[in-house]
Amino acid sequence: AASARRPVVDAGALDVLLVVPGLLDAGRVQVARRNWAMLRPRACIVPTWQRCGDDPDLDEAIDGPIDGEEDGPRLPYLSEACDVPRVPTKGTGGYVAQLKFVLPAHVQALGVRWVFVVLDDVRLFAGEFDAKPFFRIAARNDLDVASPAIRRAHGRRFPEMRPQKLTNGAVGRRVAKVELFATAFTPNAYHCFHDLADVEMNAEGYGYPDWLPGYCSLRGEKFAAGVVDVFRASHGLPGRRDAWTKSYSDSAASKARTEMAEWYATRGVELVRASRNVTGYLHDSDDMPSSS
């Protein structure tokens, strides 16, 4: 049976909703739980691909301690820290299918300032990521979408997401788009993404980061994105090739992206692909405002 524990919702915690859109297996429970501990968010949602009972190892990991956990203050089990709904969409939807269950109305009701979407194979480490200054920098630079720099972002496919050495006191870059690995959305930006996401037509998610800036503009909303290079996250699990492999067909995902763009075009809406250009720099000082 599913856990009867109620997840922790701490009104005094960071003004963030953490969402891990699709927990694949027991090995990734450790990642999600430790990422929660790095953030201590107000609320957390971690849907899984499997029904309760389909994967006993996953069920045990959700409701129990981490194997080999060091002595010290016990972290809450994942089912204590987060709401873990069972959303058995594997084979019929990617992370987009999981995010569609997290409604903008849920975000509004929680009253959080950010929705932080972190994939289940992305790790946040002490010494490389600090939540409070990360979100402070994003807010100070008036960003709608922000990400730490990403180590091993699918090999060489996303050079704009890899850590960069910056000068003149800059802490990050303004970019035209942000790939989804560990992405913070303002509630308005998340609403825009949620509206664009189409589970039936394009569940794996190809194209959404490219289209989101222009789509938000069509909705009359501003869109400012940035990569905060002074903080980093790592993609992929130790000893596994998650950083270079996918659980879905690349050709099928590419075909879905093309078909979705064509569908919109027949209705007079062009989904424009954003560039990878750096458009300015981010600073963490009122004396050095972000360039634009």
Side-chain angles (χ1 to χ4, degrees), residues 52-134:
C52 188
D54 287 351
D55 184 343
D57 290 338
L58 175 62
D59 297 339
E60 183 177 355
I62 288 171
D63 287 327
I66 295 174
D67 290 340
E69 188 172 27
E70 297 179 1
D71 293 335
R74 184 182 75 80
L75 291 178
Y77 301 149
L78 188 64
S79 61
E80 294 175 322
C82 303
D83 198 355
V84 188
R86 302 302 181 125
V87 186
T89 55
K90 189 176 182 182
T92 59
Y95 75 82
V96 175
Q98 306 285 0
L99 287 175
K100 289 296 277 189
F101 285 91
V102 184
L103 301 178
H106 299 154
V107 177
Q108 183 180 9
L110 281 169
V112 294
R113 296 183 63 186
W114 297 95
V115 180
F116 197 25
V117 179
V118 182
L119 300 185
D120 68 345
D121 61 350
V122 171
R123 296 175 291 158
L124 307 174
F125 292 108
E128 293 198 338
F129 182 83
D130 192 334
K132 287 185 178 179
F134 170 77

Side-chain angles (χ1 to χ4, degrees), residues 23-33 120-121 237 240 242:
L23 192 64
L24 184 63
D25 55 40
R28 304 187 188 207
V29 172
Q30 298 185 20
V31 176
R33 188 175 168 205
D120 68 345
D121 61 350
L237 304 185
R240 295 167 63 166
D242 305 75

